Amino acid sequence: MRPLEKGADGVYVVGCREGDCHYNSGNFRAKARVEQTRKVLDALGIGGRRLEMFNLSSSDGPSFARYAREMHDRILELGPNPIRTALAKKKKPPPAELQAAVA
Amino acid sequence: MIVAEKKPIEEIIDTVKDCQSILVLGCNECVTVCEAGGKKEVGLLASALRMHFLQQGREVNIGERTLERQCDQEYLEEIRDIIDLYDMVVSIACGVGVQFTAEKYHAKPVVPGVNTLFMGANEARGVWSERCQGCGQCLLAVSGGICPVSRCAKRILNGPCGGSSAGKCEINKELPCGWQLIIDRLKALGRMDDYEKIIPIKDWSTERAGGPRKVVREDLKL
């Protein structure tokens, strides 16, 4: 949630392959958390598809690259995170006439 | 433990929509264990509220705190210095915590962010089920350690009723018949003689039917 709140267009969580986690069920718990958060993101109108969980082993570079491309393509399809747009609006400089008055 | 579940985010947003400053207040006890109102959920809810108001183009201050317990005076005192910074508190403790916070800070609106459900046990990851209704007169010694008040849909004290079929309750085919569980346990304990004993009419005045309850322990009072 925090990266998306800061304006990230997408976030993916990478866990060990299912059944291979050092913490036994840690990756399953993370998956459930990701699912929960996706529902909240849908309800907020940000879109749950901006968040994803992938499973791969630390030595599986090709899969990592494939998932990164998949997420990149998905983000391009979804467009910018509405929060990023809202944050940019918030930071928008005051109108020129106001700036002139202050000067 | 007390089991609660999160309210839908839409419902919480509707409750706090007119606020300028909101404190999301969690509790480190039961609601943390059932993943409804602990520190992680405080972070999640606060983040969701911030994103909602950002999209609305509104600057709303969202604070986050999680207390050791919201049902104890001493822990509730920890927010005394910050409570005036907020228009409203969204407490994601159980109903006890919400009410105790409201009592402590009488002039501050305190609203619930969870629905409090029951006293239950954690059967498996993500599964909780009811075990106790706090009837104030425990029968577990004679019922094989399985409670007819909380496990039988009709709260029958001498069961089962005619709705018990193949070990399941008539109200739901997935729900075990409480009395079947009692009989199975008494058999396993070799105590079926207890089943033949009629449990006398229960004094329900110790239960909620007798009005709000209170315990005064003279041996503990200061």
XYZ file of all heavy atoms in Angstrom, chain B residues 97-183:
633
model
N -13.213 -2.092 23.116
C -12.208 -1.045 22.933
C -12.822 0.239 22.399
O -12.495 1.337 22.858
N -13.720 0.102 21.433
C -14.372 1.286 20.843
C -15.121 2.043 21.946
O -14.982 3.262 22.102
C -15.372 0.877 19.722
C -16.082 2.098 19.166
C -14.662 0.121 18.613
N -15.881 1.299 22.746
C -16.683 1.945 23.797
C -15.829 2.528 24.904
O -16.139 3.600 25.428
C -17.639 0.921 24.408
C -18.740 0.504 23.465
C -19.697 -0.431 24.146
O -20.401 -0.057 25.076
N -19.723 -1.676 23.688
N -14.753 1.822 25.250
C -13.925 2.313 26.352
C -13.172 3.572 25.923
O -12.987 4.490 26.718
C -12.958 1.211 26.810
C -12.742 1.196 28.295
C -13.792 1.385 29.178
C -11.474 0.999 28.823
C -13.593 1.384 30.558
C -11.259 0.999 30.200
C -12.317 1.188 31.064
N -12.767 3.603 24.652
C -12.106 4.810 24.122
C -13.100 5.978 24.134
O -12.767 7.094 24.516
C -11.586 4.555 22.690
O -10.773 3.380 22.702
C -10.772 5.718 22.160
N -14.344 5.683 23.721
C -15.375 6.724 23.693
C -15.684 7.227 25.106
O -15.916 8.429 25.310
C -16.644 6.187 23.029
N -15.692 6.315 26.064
C -15.954 6.721 27.458
C -14.833 7.601 27.986
O -15.050 8.577 28.687
C -16.049 5.478 28.345
C -17.398 4.783 28.298
C -17.384 3.485 29.093
O -16.903 3.476 30.251
O -17.841 2.476 28.532
N -13.632 7.216 27.642
C -12.448 7.929 28.144
C -12.366 9.334 27.535
O -11.975 10.276 28.206
C -11.208 7.105 27.758
C -9.922 7.587 28.332
C -9.665 6.941 29.665
C -8.319 7.327 30.209
N -8.272 7.063 31.653
N -12.682 9.435 26.256
C -12.600 10.730 25.565
C -14.015 11.110 25.124
O -14.398 10.973 23.956
C -11.607 10.638 24.391
C -10.241 10.258 24.888
C -9.735 8.979 24.702
C -9.468 11.166 25.597
C -8.490 8.607 25.206
C -8.232 10.813 26.112
C -7.749 9.543 25.906
O -6.534 9.188 26.424
N -14.772 11.558 26.124
C -16.212 11.723 26.004
C -16.648 12.657 24.869
O -17.679 12.453 24.244
C -16.722 12.260 27.344
C -18.136 11.891 27.608
N -18.563 10.573 27.680
C -19.237 12.655 27.794
C -19.853 10.556 27.902
N -20.296 11.802 27.972
N -15.851 13.684 24.609
C -16.262 14.685 23.619
C -15.756 14.354 22.213
O -15.919 15.147 21.292
C -15.764 16.060 24.044
N -15.102 13.209 22.052
C -14.507 12.864 20.752
C -15.330 11.753 20.077
O -15.567 10.705 20.684
C -13.073 12.362 21.004
C -12.221 12.180 19.794
C -11.927 13.457 19.062
C -11.211 14.492 19.886
N -11.018 15.760 19.156
N -15.767 11.951 18.841
C -16.473 10.846 18.170
C -15.522 9.655 17.944
O -14.414 9.847 17.434
C -16.897 11.435 16.824
C -16.729 12.917 16.957
C -15.659 13.137 17.995
N -15.955 8.496 18.384
C -15.160 7.266 18.184
C -16.049 6.279 17.437
O -17.146 5.964 17.903
C -14.709 6.647 19.534
C -13.847 5.409 19.294
C -13.945 7.666 20.376
N -15.600 5.849 16.266
C -16.438 4.952 15.452
C -15.701 3.636 15.220
O -14.468 3.599 15.216
C -16.816 5.604 14.089
C -17.621 6.865 14.303
C -15.578 5.885 13.251
N -16.457 2.552 15.018
C -15.800 1.250 14.823
C -15.367 1.026 13.377
O -16.080 1.365 12.446
C -16.896 0.251 15.211
C -18.172 0.957 14.859
C -17.930 2.430 15.060
N -14.197 0.388 13.247
C -13.718 0.004 11.914
C -13.806 -1.499 11.701
O -13.403 -2.010 10.656
N -14.293 -2.202 12.724
C -14.468 -3.665 12.596
C -15.850 -4.041 13.126
O -16.472 -3.271 13.852
C -13.393 -4.477 13.385
C -11.988 -4.161 12.919
C -13.512 -4.264 14.890
N -16.300 -5.224 12.749
C -17.499 -5.798 13.352
C -17.036 -6.859 14.338
O -16.306 -7.784 13.954
C -18.398 -6.434 12.282
C -19.027 -5.387 11.385
O -19.452 -4.332 11.846
N -19.058 -5.659 10.088
N -17.429 -6.717 15.593
C -17.026 -7.689 16.616
C -18.016 -8.847 16.587
O -19.230 -8.623 16.563
C -17.002 -7.015 17.998
O -16.166 -5.865 17.899
C -16.466 -7.948 19.060
N -17.487 -10.068 16.564
C -18.357 -11.215 16.298
C -18.617 -12.121 17.502
O -19.741 -12.293 17.926
C -17.778 -12.034 15.142
C -17.596 -11.255 13.838
C -16.769 -12.039 12.845
C -18.938 -10.900 13.227
N -17.545 -12.699 18.048
C -17.770 -13.682 19.124
C -16.463 -14.010 19.841
O -15.401 -13.580 19.424
C -18.386 -14.969 18.555
C -17.661 -15.532 17.351
C -16.451 -16.221 17.492
C -18.186 -15.394 16.077
C -15.789 -16.744 16.395
C -17.532 -15.912 14.958
C -16.329 -16.596 15.131
N -16.604 -14.822 20.919
C -15.420 -15.363 21.584
C -15.164 -16.731 20.958
O -16.059 -17.604 20.996
C -15.663 -15.521 23.084
C -15.559 -14.214 23.841
S -15.657 -14.485 25.615
C -17.429 -14.527 25.858
N -14.022 -16.872 20.348
C -13.806 -18.115 19.613
C -12.366 -18.564 19.582
O -11.484 -17.955 20.200
N -12.146 -19.642 18.855
C -10.812 -20.239 18.744
C -10.369 -20.230 17.285
O -11.205 -20.205 16.372
C -10.848 -21.671 19.256
N -9.055 -20.258 17.108
C -8.460 -20.264 15.771
C -8.289 -21.719 15.319
O -7.354 -22.387 15.694
C -7.099 -19.553 15.864
C -6.464 -19.296 14.517
O -5.305 -18.974 14.441
N -7.207 -19.442 13.436
N -9.255 -22.206 14.529
C -9.235 -23.620 14.112
C -8.114 -23.910 13.131
O -7.506 -24.969 13.147
C -10.555 -23.987 13.437
C -11.691 -24.180 14.410
C -12.925 -24.724 13.705
O -12.845 -25.095 12.517
O -13.975 -24.764 14.354
N -7.903 -22.983 12.229
C -6.857 -23.115 11.212
C -6.561 -21.703 10.726
O -7.261 -20.760 11.092
C -7.355 -23.980 10.050
N -5.537 -21.567 9.906
C -5.186 -20.254 9.371
C -6.413 -19.636 8.683
O -6.969 -20.233 7.750
C -4.025 -20.427 8.382
C -3.666 -19.185 7.629
C -2.603 -18.381 8.316
N -2.512 -17.078 7.686
C -2.355 -15.955 8.345
N -2.219 -15.955 9.649
N -2.293 -14.803 7.704
N -6.866 -18.489 9.201
C -8.004 -17.803 8.593
C -9.371 -18.363 8.977
O -10.368 -17.973 8.393
N -9.404 -19.289 9.945
C -10.689 -19.881 10.337
C -10.869 -19.751 11.856
O -10.049 -20.261 12.624
C -10.770 -21.385 9.953
C -12.131 -21.968 10.346
C -10.508 -21.586 8.472
N -11.919 -19.065 12.250
C -12.238 -18.923 13.671
C -13.663 -19.399 13.885
O -14.514 -19.208 13.015
C -12.140 -17.458 14.105
C -10.752 -16.939 14.115
C -9.879 -16.965 15.160
C -10.038 -16.324 13.025
N -8.673 -16.412 14.790
C -8.753 -16.010 13.493
C -10.369 -16.021 11.714
C -7.791 -15.398 12.696
C -9.419 -15.414 10.907
C -8.144 -15.111 11.397
N -13.906 -20.026 15.039
C -15.277 -20.441 15.305
C -15.610 -20.226 16.775
O -14.740 -20.245 17.643
C -15.496 -21.888 14.883
O -14.615 -22.716 15.585
N -16.886 -20.045 17.003
C -17.360 -19.662 18.330
C -17.230 -20.807 19.327
O -17.503 -21.966 19.006
C -18.826 -19.224 18.218
C -19.351 -18.635 19.502
C -20.648 -17.871 19.298
O -21.316 -18.085 18.270
O -20.987 -17.068 20.189
N -16.801 -20.456 20.538
C -16.673 -21.466 21.586
C -17.351 -21.065 22.890
O -17.635 -21.911 23.718
C -15.185 -21.741 21.876
C -14.458 -22.534 20.798
C -14.948 -23.978 20.735
N -14.187 -24.770 19.775
C -14.403 -24.777 18.476
N -15.350 -24.017 17.959
N -13.675 -25.523 17.667
N -17.556 -19.788 23.119
C -18.085 -19.371 24.421
C -19.000 -18.157 24.252
O -18.701 -17.263 23.472
C -16.915 -19.021 25.352
S -17.453 -18.503 26.991
N -20.126 -18.179 24.991
C -21.031 -17.032 24.949
C -21.059 -16.287 26.272
O -21.934 -15.448 26.494
C -22.435 -17.485 24.548
C -22.461 -18.024 23.132
C -23.857 -18.219 22.584
O -24.845 -18.181 23.317
N -23.936 -18.436 21.296
N -20.119 -16.619 27.168
C -20.032 -15.902 28.445
C -21.338 -15.955 29.218
O -21.830 -14.923 29.660
N -21.895 -17.160 29.384
C -23.214 -17.269 30.028
C -23.135 -17.075 31.539
O -24.157 -16.943 32.203
C -23.875 -18.594 29.688
S -23.132 -20.015 30.518
N -21.929 -17.072 32.084
C -21.771 -16.767 33.508
C -22.011 -17.950 34.437
O -22.016 -17.786 35.661
N -22.238 -19.149 33.859
C -22.460 -20.323 34.704
C -22.000 -21.537 33.896
O -22.796 -22.175 33.214
C -23.959 -20.427 35.035
C -24.252 -21.306 36.223
C -25.750 -21.497 36.371
O -26.424 -21.899 35.410
N -26.273 -21.211 37.542
N -20.716 -21.832 33.967
C -20.104 -22.786 33.034
C -20.512 -24.237 33.291
O -20.454 -24.729 34.412
C -18.575 -22.655 33.110
S -17.765 -23.500 31.749
N -20.942 -24.898 32.209
C -21.426 -26.274 32.287
C -20.424 -27.276 31.744
O -20.714 -28.461 31.637
C -22.712 -26.404 31.440
C -23.928 -25.599 31.870
C -24.952 -25.577 30.745
C -24.531 -26.208 33.124
N -19.250 -26.829 31.345
C -18.316 -27.699 30.612
C -17.912 -28.951 31.382
O -17.588 -29.978 30.776
C -17.069 -26.901 30.196
C -17.317 -25.881 29.085
C -16.132 -24.926 28.937
C -17.586 -26.581 27.759
N -17.967 -28.892 32.713
C -17.569 -30.055 33.507
C -18.502 -31.243 33.289
O -18.075 -32.393 33.362
C -17.529 -29.688 34.993
N -19.770 -30.948 32.990
C -20.715 -32.063 32.812
C -21.011 -32.359 31.342
O -21.706 -33.318 31.025
C -22.050 -31.806 33.569
C -21.818 -31.795 35.066
C -22.721 -30.536 33.094
N -20.513 -31.528 30.454
C -20.841 -31.732 29.032
C -19.619 -32.162 28.217
O -19.550 -31.901 27.020
C -21.470 -30.464 28.452
O -20.554 -29.397 28.537
N -18.706 -32.815 28.870
C -17.545 -33.356 28.157
C -16.635 -32.289 27.598
O -15.910 -32.528 26.627
N -16.664 -31.109 28.167
C -15.765 -30.041 27.701
C -16.239 -29.376 26.422
O -15.497 -28.619 25.800
N -17.477 -29.676 26.012
C -18.025 -29.033 24.801
C -19.294 -28.285 25.237
O -20.148 -28.862 25.905
C -18.311 -30.079 23.709
C -16.958 -30.609 23.202
C -19.117 -29.489 22.560
C -17.027 -31.889 22.447
N -19.385 -27.044 24.863
C -20.422 -26.184 25.433
C -21.748 -26.280 24.675
O -21.817 -25.924 23.498
C -19.926 -24.737 25.428
S -21.187 -23.604 25.980
N -22.805 -26.723 25.355
C -24.109 -26.773 24.666
C -24.686 -25.381 24.405
O -25.500 -25.217 23.507
C -24.993 -27.566 25.650
C -24.347 -27.439 26.982
C -22.884 -27.212 26.745
N -24.239 -24.392 25.176
C -24.782 -23.032 24.982
C -24.225 -22.406 23.699
O -24.952 -21.811 22.907
C -24.471 -22.139 26.216
C -24.964 -20.716 26.003
C -25.086 -22.737 27.472
N -22.931 -22.582 23.462
C -22.340 -21.946 22.277
C -22.298 -22.869 21.056
O -22.241 -22.393 19.930
C -20.926 -21.448 22.589
O -20.106 -22.522 22.959
N -22.335 -24.178 21.250
C -22.170 -25.084 20.112
C -23.497 -25.628 19.578
O -23.536 -26.205 18.482
C -21.256 -26.261 20.480
C -19.908 -25.865 21.074
C -19.001 -25.132 20.109
N -18.614 -25.879 18.949
C -17.602 -26.731 18.896
N -16.858 -26.945 19.965
N -17.292 -27.368 17.784
N -24.569 -25.520 20.375
C -25.881 -25.988 19.922
C -26.680 -24.764 19.496
O -26.789 -23.797 20.257
C -26.592 -26.728 21.066
S -28.346 -27.032 20.749
N -27.233 -24.798 18.284
C -27.964 -23.634 17.763
C -29.146 -23.265 18.656
O -29.517 -22.104 18.757
C -28.430 -23.915 16.339
N -29.739 -24.271 19.296
C -30.901 -24.004 20.168
C -30.499 -23.842 21.621
O -31.366 -23.671 22.473
C -31.887 -25.173 20.054
C -32.614 -25.257 18.731
C -33.524 -26.474 18.736
C -34.323 -26.585 17.453
N -34.965 -27.896 17.332
N -29.256 -23.980 21.929
C -28.738 -23.905 23.306
C -29.439 -24.915 24.212
O -29.730 -24.634 25.376
C -28.917 -22.501 23.884
C -28.259 -21.413 23.069
C -28.731 -20.071 23.534
N -27.615 -19.204 23.872
C -27.728 -18.129 24.639
N -28.887 -17.784 25.146
N -26.687 -17.399 24.914
N -29.734 -26.077 23.647
C -30.421 -27.111 24.425
C -29.460 -27.698 25.458
O -28.305 -28.006 25.134
C -30.947 -28.220 23.470
C -32.163 -27.705 22.717
C -31.279 -29.492 24.227
C -32.679 -28.699 21.702
N -29.946 -27.862 26.683
C -29.075 -28.374 27.744
C -29.148 -29.894 27.866
O -28.321 -30.506 28.538
C -29.420 -27.717 29.080
C -29.260 -26.196 29.117
C -29.513 -25.668 30.512
C -27.872 -25.771 28.642
N -30.165 -30.492 27.277
C -30.275 -31.948 27.280
C -30.633 -32.375 25.854
O -31.808 -32.543 25.528
C -31.331 -32.409 28.293
C -30.941 -32.052 29.718
O -30.093 -32.710 30.330
N -31.520 -30.982 30.254
N -29.646 -32.520 25.023
C -29.901 -32.783 23.606
C -29.460 -34.171 23.200
O -29.122 -34.985 24.045
N -29.432 -34.451 21.912
C -29.735 -33.526 20.807
C -31.237 -33.398 20.567
O -32.021 -34.150 21.119
C -29.052 -34.197 19.613
C -29.125 -35.654 19.922
C -28.998 -35.771 21.411
N -31.575 -32.454 19.680
C -32.979 -32.300 19.303
C -33.230 -33.140 18.048
O -32.319 -33.778 17.523
C -33.300 -30.822 19.036
S -32.597 -30.192 17.493
N -34.469 -33.109 17.546
C -34.818 -33.899 16.368
C -34.191 -33.388 15.082
O -34.230 -34.053 14.045
N -33.568 -32.233 15.145
C -32.958 -31.657 13.935
C -31.540 -32.128 13.699
O -30.905 -31.745 12.714
N -31.057 -32.994 14.585
C -29.691 -33.510 14.415
C -29.721 -34.681 13.444
O -30.456 -35.645 13.642
C -29.158 -33.962 15.785
O -27.879 -34.532 15.635
N -28.950 -34.571 12.375
C -28.960 -35.638 11.374
C -27.543 -35.931 10.901
O -26.827 -35.020 10.468
C -29.845 -35.183 10.204
O -29.756 -36.095 9.154
N -27.163 -37.193 11.001
C -25.817 -37.633 10.595
C -24.729 -36.753 11.218
O -23.745 -36.403 10.572
C -25.695 -37.651 9.068
N -24.961 -36.353 12.451
C -23.958 -35.562 13.179
C -23.954 -34.084 12.843
O -23.112 -33.344 13.328
N -24.904 -33.674 11.987
C -24.945 -32.257 11.599
C -26.217 -31.582 12.109
O -27.224 -32.247 12.363
C -24.877 -32.113 10.068
C -23.648 -32.747 9.429
C -22.360 -32.045 9.803
C -21.163 -32.711 9.126
N -19.889 -32.288 9.681
N -26.157 -30.279 12.188
C -27.285 -29.490 12.688
C -28.251 -29.158 11.550
O -27.817 -28.959 10.412
C -26.741 -28.203 13.311
S -28.012 -27.060 13.881
N -29.524 -29.048 11.883
C -30.509 -28.773 10.825
C -30.379 -27.368 10.235
O -30.855 -27.104 9.147
C -31.934 -28.971 11.352
C -32.333 -27.990 12.442
C -33.719 -28.260 12.995
O -34.521 -28.876 12.297
O -33.982 -27.843 14.144
N -29.731 -26.463 10.970
C -29.666 -25.098 10.416
C -28.622 -24.969 9.312
O -28.650 -24.031 8.529
C -29.425 -24.024 11.511
C -28.025 -24.141 12.122
C -30.489 -24.034 12.579
C -27.582 -22.850 12.800
N -27.675 -25.912 9.279
C -26.608 -25.843 8.280
C -25.931 -27.204 8.185
O -25.438 -27.726 9.188
C -25.598 -24.762 8.728
C -24.450 -24.570 7.767
O -24.210 -25.402 6.883
N -23.724 -23.486 7.943
N -25.906 -27.748 6.984
C -25.354 -29.105 6.813
C -23.858 -29.184 7.124
O -23.299 -30.253 7.313
C -25.620 -29.596 5.391
C -27.060 -29.998 5.159
C -27.203 -30.737 3.831
C -28.592 -31.327 3.647
N -29.641 -30.323 3.457
N -23.198 -28.010 7.126
C -21.756 -27.986 7.427
C -21.489 -27.895 8.932
O -20.364 -28.083 9.382
C -21.092 -26.769 6.757
C -21.212 -26.715 5.238
C -20.528 -27.892 4.575
O -19.373 -28.166 4.941
O -21.168 -28.547 3.714
N -22.548 -27.555 9.679
C -22.360 -27.280 11.112
C -22.525 -28.554 11.943
O -23.581 -29.183 11.914
C -23.401 -26.236 11.561
C -23.282 -25.733 12.993
C -22.055 -24.843 13.156
C -24.540 -24.971 13.388
N -21.479 -28.935 12.694
C -21.633 -30.141 13.526
C -22.701 -29.910 14.592
O -22.834 -28.809 15.119
C -20.257 -30.303 14.185
C -19.338 -29.364 13.516
C -20.169 -28.297 12.874
N -23.462 -30.953 14.884
C -24.438 -30.878 15.971
C -23.646 -30.826 17.270
O -22.817 -31.711 17.541
C -25.344 -32.106 15.921
S -26.253 -32.365 17.460
N -23.892 -29.811 18.074
C -23.159 -29.651 19.334
C -23.335 -30.857 20.238
O -22.395 -31.323 20.882
N -24.560 -31.371 20.260
C -24.815 -32.523 21.129
C -24.178 -33.802 20.606
O -23.787 -34.667 21.378
C -26.311 -32.678 21.418
C -26.623 -31.878 22.639
C -27.104 -30.617 22.679
C -26.356 -32.256 23.993
N -27.169 -30.172 23.977
C -26.721 -31.166 24.810
C -25.832 -33.395 24.605
C -26.587 -31.185 26.195
C -25.706 -33.423 25.996
C -26.078 -32.328 26.774
N -24.046 -33.917 19.290
C -23.312 -35.073 18.748
C -21.853 -34.994 19.216
O -21.262 -36.000 19.620
C -23.372 -35.061 17.216
C -22.708 -36.270 16.565
C -23.449 -37.560 16.870
O -24.649 -37.665 16.580
N -22.775 -38.537 17.454
N -21.299 -33.784 19.195
C -19.911 -33.600 19.646
C -19.785 -33.966 21.126
O -18.806 -34.592 21.546
C -19.465 -32.141 19.440
C -19.404 -31.625 18.005
C -19.088 -30.124 17.998
C -18.364 -32.379 17.193
N -20.791 -33.571 21.913
C -20.760 -33.859 23.357
C -20.799 -35.376 23.577
O -20.005 -35.939 24.340
C -21.934 -33.156 24.083
C -21.728 -31.637 24.054
C -22.068 -33.658 25.527
C -22.918 -30.817 24.541
N -21.712 -36.039 22.867
C -21.841 -37.499 23.030
C -20.542 -38.204 22.608
O -20.030 -39.077 23.311
C -23.061 -38.026 22.226
C -24.345 -37.517 22.884
C -23.058 -39.542 22.128
C -25.591 -37.658 22.034
